[in-house]
């Protein structure tokens, strides 16, 4: 196999990266704590002296996650308004139309979410 000289640094970096990962995995396995006879009690959940009640894996309503995703989506929109608000005079009519198109896309998305009932918690 005849590799050009340009690939040698890339191969060295890949070997160092893979070697670091393998060395880290081997080191944690060899130097890490070992499981002892009474450790199953130590590994149980504990919070402020209160006994564990129920399962920690209780399912959440999908509405909770949907609301969180919608909040993030519409919250990020505000970040894009700041540069426009600071420089709105410099952007002129062209900037205003661009922001109007941007807002209209989010407004249509909001109307779609509202009509689909994603914001209605009673369903």
């Amino acid at each position: 196999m005849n590799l050009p000289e340009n690939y040698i640094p890339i191969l060295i970096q890949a070997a160092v990266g893979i070697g670091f990962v393998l060395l880290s995995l081997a080191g944690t396995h060899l130097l890490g704590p070992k499981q002892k006879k009474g450790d199953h009690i130590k590994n149980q959940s504990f919070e402020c002296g209160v006994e564990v009640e129920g399962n920690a894996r209780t399912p959440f309503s999908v509405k909770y996650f949907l609301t969180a995703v919608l909040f993030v989506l519409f919250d990020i929109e505000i970040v894009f308004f700041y540069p426009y608000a600071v420089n709105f005079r410099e952007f002129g009519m062209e900037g205003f139309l661009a922001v109007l198109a941007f807002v209209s896309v989010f407004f249509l998305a909001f109307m779609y979410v509202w009509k689909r009932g994603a914001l209605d918690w009673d369903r």
Side-chain angles (χ1 to χ4, degrees), residues 25-95:
L25 290 174
T28 55
H29 181 69
L30 294 174
L31 300 174
K34 308 294 187 253
Q35 189 78 3
K36 295 179 185 168
K37 190 173 186 178
D39 280 351
H40 67 282
I41 295 172
K42 291 181 183 178
N43 291 334
Q44 289 181 349
S45 297
F46 178 81
E47 185 167 336
C48 299
V50 178
E51 290 293 325
V52 178
E53 293 182 17
N55 187 3
R57 304 275 187 241
T58 54
F60 283 94
S61 173
V62 175
K63 294 279 188 187
Y64 172 77
F65 294 108
L66 183 61
T67 304
V69 167
L70 290 174
F71 172 77
V72 169
L73 176 71
F74 289 113
D75 192 45
I76 294 298
E77 175 189 8
I78 302 302
V79 172
F80 291 106
F81 280 132
Y82 183 73
Y84 175 72
V86 170
N87 300 315
F88 72 96
R89 287 193 177 129
E90 296 169 13
F91 291 149
M93 184 55 76
E94 184 179 333

Side-chain angles (χ1 to χ4, degrees), residues 5-26:
E5 290 181 10
N6 296 343
Y7 289 119
I8 292 174
I10 295 172
L11 293 175
I12 292 172
Q13 287 178 346
V16 168
I18 292 171
F20 179 74
V21 169
L22 294 176
L23 183 67
S24 297
L25 290 174

